[in-house]
Amino acid sequence: DAVPNGAANNDSDEKYYNKSLQELSVMANDAFKKENFGEAIKFYKLALFKADSAKNNDNLSKIWQNLAIAYYSSENYNDALSAIEKSLLIKKSPESIEVKAAIFEDTKELDKAIALFEESIKSNDFPAERKTAWKKEISRITSIKTKKK
């Protein structure tokens, strides 16, 4: 197995390559909870590599989503957006849509956040209660836009 690009910071990281996908995910989540986003990102990248090697699409989408949240939490919005788009290509989950909208909102791309929610509301893929929450988000973001004028 080749080492995933950017996953290894130094030789001591090699000890993590034989960890299972589950172990790497737990380590990433633990690092994230401690707000150690750099470590979380490293472990999520290793978990992505494992999931991709195993062709485990269910986990792959969730790991991309978690990686996006770790990047977002460290205010690395470009990498966060890239990761969340990869998650959405695999599976359009409501959580991933909400992460992408939050990235747009924090990068002051309010129109893109609104458009994403509007597009998602039209889809038949999501439950009515989620769509109701997204309508409230559109109203909230629209009021932010209005206040800025």
Side-chain angles (χ1 to χ4, degrees), residues 19-116:
K19 298 282 186 190
S20 72
L21 176 59
Q22 178 70 29
E23 289 172 310
L24 289 167
S25 295
V26 167
M27 291 164 72
N29 292 337
D30 287 347
F32 183 87
K33 287 174 191 162
K34 294 175 185 166
E35 296 186 14
N36 186 343
F37 303 122
E39 281 286 293
I41 289 166
K42 176 177 74 176
F43 292 135
Y44 286 133
K45 284 182 173 181
L46 286 166
L48 276 173
F49 179 68
K50 288 274 186 182
D52 193 39
S53 297
K55 303 290 183 248
N56 189 332
N57 281 349
D58 290 341
N59 281 338
L60 207 51
S61 178
K62 184 67 174 165
I63 297 166
W64 276 116
Q65 178 184 311
N66 288 344
L67 178 61
I69 294 168
Y71 278 131
Y72 172 81
S73 298
S74 61
E75 298 181 5
N76 182 341
Y77 300 118
N78 287 336
D79 286 340
L81 189 58
S82 175
I84 204 62
E85 286 173 349
K86 288 177 178 152
S87 174
L88 285 163
L89 281 173
I90 298 164
K91 181 181 178 193
K92 287 199 183 314
S93 75
E95 297 82 10
S96 289
I97 287 168
E98 290 161 7
V99 170
K100 188 172 181 180
I103 295 166
F104 285 147
E105 188 173 343
D106 279 19
T107 57
K108 311 293 185 240
E109 297 183 83
L110 303 180
D111 289 333
K112 286 185 179 180
I114 291 168
L116 177 63

